[in-house]
Amino acid sequence: MKYLVVYSSRTGNTEMLAKQVKKTLGAEECLSFGAPSEEARAAAEHAEVIFAGFWTDKGNCEEPMGEFLEGLENAKIVLFGTAGFGQSQDYFNRILANVKGHLNGSNRVVGAWMCQGKMPLSVRKRYEAMQEQDPERAAQLIANFDQALGHPDAGDLEAFRGFIGNLFHCIGKESAKQS
């Protein structure tokens, strides 16, 4: 199965996940691996599956990934991402719904997966500065920041590899039926 991994990663979290795709599926069938680019767009036309990874920016993917997704036609897509806040699958589902909104109706999302990811230290400093105005909210945000520091962790990476393996198995069966 020819595939493409296109991702953006501000802090390295999503890149860790992207590398797991290539490690799990093997480099031989990978048409392109890296940031949204013209090379990735050209490779997308030949890929059976596009793995699109993103970091969360205000409840959505960042602009370059959104633009890449908006340019896809008739593709099978697997979305994967990281978010600094990660203690709620409902939150992840809202983000994924927003990201799916970048795709036109000719595309099909065949899988989606998210986990928590660490945030830059500048975010913690911003939360610390909030302590005088809203100490309760600041304490919650700082606690989440500290909890996120270890993510994606070994458990997250193992779960993601399992997700990819199961998905690959299902896609393979689907392709065999269509042949």
Side-chain angles (χ1 to χ4, degrees):
M1 175 182 74
K2 302 273 187 220
Y3 70 95
L4 160 72
V5 181
V6 61
Y7 68 93
S8 56
S9 185
R10 186 174 183 190
T11 59
N13 300 328
T14 307
E15 181 178 21
M16 288 172 64
L17 297 178
K19 288 178 178 178
Q20 295 303 310
V21 175
K22 198 171 184 182
K23 181 179 178 180
T24 303
L25 298 181
E28 307 80 37
E29 299 293 315
C30 185
L31 299 174
S32 181
F33 182 89
S37 64
E38 287 306 313
E39 177 191 336
R41 187 163 305 288
E45 294 179 24
H46 305 286
E48 293 173 63
V49 178
I50 299 167
F51 289 85
F54 60 91
W55 58 275
T56 301
D57 184 23
K58 299 175 194 81
N60 207 326
C61 61
E62 73 294 345
E63 191 174 329
M65 181 56 72
E67 290 172 358
F68 178 83
L69 294 172
E70 288 164 8
L72 295 176
E73 297 280 338
N74 302 309
K76 287 182 187 173
I77 301 161
V78 177
L79 298 173
F80 65 96
T82 58
F85 291 88
Q87 299 161 353
S88 165
Q89 187 60 46
D90 288 339
Y91 178 62
F92 288 159
N93 290 342
R94 286 193 304 272
I95 294 166
L96 289 165
N98 291 338
V99 174
K100 288 175 186 176
H102 291 280
L103 297 166
N104 69 48
S106 73
N107 297 294
R108 186 167 70 125
V109 175
V110 295
W113 193 90
M114 286 193 72
C115 72
Q116 190 170 26
K118 63 187 164 297
M119 297 171 271
L121 188 55
S122 60
V123 173
R124 191 177 204 286
K125 291 180 188 238
R126 193 171 69 232
Y127 296 160
E128 289 169 351
M130 293 173 53
Q131 287 179 318
E132 284 188 32
Q133 297 90 357
D134 190 350
E136 187 176 320
R137 176 84 173 129
Q140 291 171 341
L141 292 170
I142 290 169
N144 180 77
F145 178 93
D146 291 346
Q147 195 275 328
L149 281 175
H151 291 276
D153 63 14
D156 296 327
L157 298 178
E158 184 177 331
F160 187 53
R161 284 191 304 271
F163 165 80
I164 295 164
N166 289 337
L167 184 67
F168 183 74
H169 182 72
C170 291
I171 292 170
K173 281 184 175 181
E174 181 180 296
S175 294
K177 285 181 185 177
Q178 293 173 358
S179 296

